[in-house]
Amino acid sequence: MAEYVYPPVIKTALGVFKALNLKFRLEGTEQIPRTGGAVLVSNHVSYLDFIFAGLAVHPAGRLARFMAKKEIFDNRIAGPLMRGMHHIPVDRQAGASSYAAALKALKSGEIVGVFAEATISRSFTVKDIKSGAVRMAVASKTPLIPIAIWGPQRLWTKGRKRRLLQRNIPVTILIGEPMYPKRGDDYDAVTAELRARMSELLDRAQREYPDIPKENERWWQPAHLGGTAPTPEEAEKLDLKEAEDRKAAREARELGGGSS
């Protein structure tokens, strides 16, 4: 397919990263196949993760098509860029079409990027994940490639102000060994193994990260490493509250729209 948008977007992003002197650590690029489909499964710590996860496949000369929520495609600025880069919109009310689009991309030899946690992890640990990525890999006969990203949460994450122009931030991207699930496997067990590998990569990225947060910056460090980010249990409660508030707001809008 024609690539009129993706290459200049990458070039622009790399120029911005250079201007901000972001310090990259990118390991495991040899795990990315040079040809053929693959499911790239990343943890999710920031609103910028798809940009950095995309860099994981760049040294192999590949482009990743990320599955992202439909609302991003509805945005008047981000939407045309997302469509131009051939990313895949996910409508949570009609997930079958998104799954079909991802399978089509995989079978045509594309790398499809998935944030299996669905939403940003407030605890900066890997949340529970569903088996969708595993099922896509099996159905398309492509490998699963786990990756971990650490550092972008300092630029823009849930519940924090954007600090997109912050300079000298280290960003770590670790790519794990591919997994090759097949039909007949226990998908839940494979999903648990995938999550364990992602967690191991993320823990290594966090423990080997070159920056130590100052006292007033400990919010970007997970609780188990001495930070003040919510624990996984606290984060789950916050996510539940957010979902309930969103549902109530949606119902209120629908009720208001239906009144005369």
Side-chain angles (χ1 to χ4, degrees):
M1 66 181 76
E3 299 292 351
Y4 300 115
V5 177
Y6 219 145
V9 166
I10 292 173
K11 186 175 181 179
T12 299
L14 291 176
V16 171
F17 298 157
K18 183 176 181 179
L20 294 175
N21 196 33
L22 299 191
K23 304 170 184 178
F24 285 97
R25 173 190 175 191
L26 178 57
E27 291 185 7
T29 56
E30 71 279 2
Q31 308 293 355
I32 303 297
R34 296 280 173 170
T35 60
V39 182
L40 188 76
V41 189
S42 175
N43 68 309
H44 204 3
V45 296
S46 85
Y47 291 107
L48 306 172
D49 290 339
F50 75 96
I51 299 174
F52 296 105
L55 292 180
V57 307
H58 192 240
R62 305 297 305 274
L63 299 173
R65 316 299 178 181
F66 286 95
M67 301 186 74
K69 62 183 181 180
K70 178 179 174 291
E71 289 79 359
I72 299 176
F73 291 78
D74 293 336
N75 183 278
R76 64 184 182 86
I77 297 175
L81 290 174
M82 295 294 281
R83 287 187 290 273
M85 291 184 280
H86 307 294
H87 294 313
I88 301 168
V90 176
D91 184 346
R92 291 172 184 169
Q93 306 302 316
S97 62
S98 306
Y99 183 83
L103 280 186
K104 182 179 179 180
L106 289 165
K107 290 178 179 179
S108 67
E110 299 280 2
I111 294 178
V112 172
V114 176
F115 295 103
E117 299 166 277
T119 58
I120 290 173
S121 171
R122 300 173 193 263
S123 67
F124 303 136
T125 60
V126 180
K127 300 163 62 174
D128 288 338
I129 62 177
K130 296 183 179 180
S131 60
V134 174
R135 295 177 185 276
M136 282 197 301
V138 171
S140 59
K141 298 180 181 179
T142 55
L144 280 169
I145 304 176
I147 71 171
I149 299 172
W150 187 241
Q153 78 280 3
R154 299 174 64 183
L155 299 171
W156 188 16
T157 192
K158 183 172 286 190
R160 291 282 169 177
K161 291 182 179 180
R162 285 175 288 185
R163 301 196 294 182
L164 300 178
L165 299 181
Q166 194 170 193
R167 295 175 53 81
N168 306 317
I169 298 297
V171 174
T172 300
I173 306 166
L174 302 182
I175 306 166
E177 294 184 4
M179 300 170 62
Y180 298 90
K182 59 186 183 300
R183 199 172 299 279
D185 286 349
D186 182 334
Y187 293 167
D188 289 338
V190 177
T191 300
E193 173 64 19
L194 172 62
R195 180 175 181 266
R197 293 193 185 196
M198 292 169 63
S199 295
E200 183 179 352
L201 288 169
L202 179 58
D203 188 67
R204 181 158 68 90
Q206 291 169 336
R207 293 182 184 277
E208 296 175 0
Y209 193 66
D211 279 7
I212 297 174
K214 298 176 183 178
E215 185 60 31
N216 64 342
E217 291 282 306
R218 288 170 57 220
W219 61 265
W220 58 259
Q221 190 82 309
H224 72 276
L225 292 180
T228 57
T231 65
E233 295 76 19
E234 292 168 341
E236 185 176 7
K237 291 179 181 178
L238 290 170
D239 286 345
L240 181 59
K241 177 66 165 56
E242 182 183 54
E244 291 173 346
D245 291 345
R246 191 183 300 117
K247 180 181 178 182
R250 183 172 62 252
E251 291 173 348
R253 286 196 301 271
E254 292 171 354
L255 183 62
S259 62
S260 55

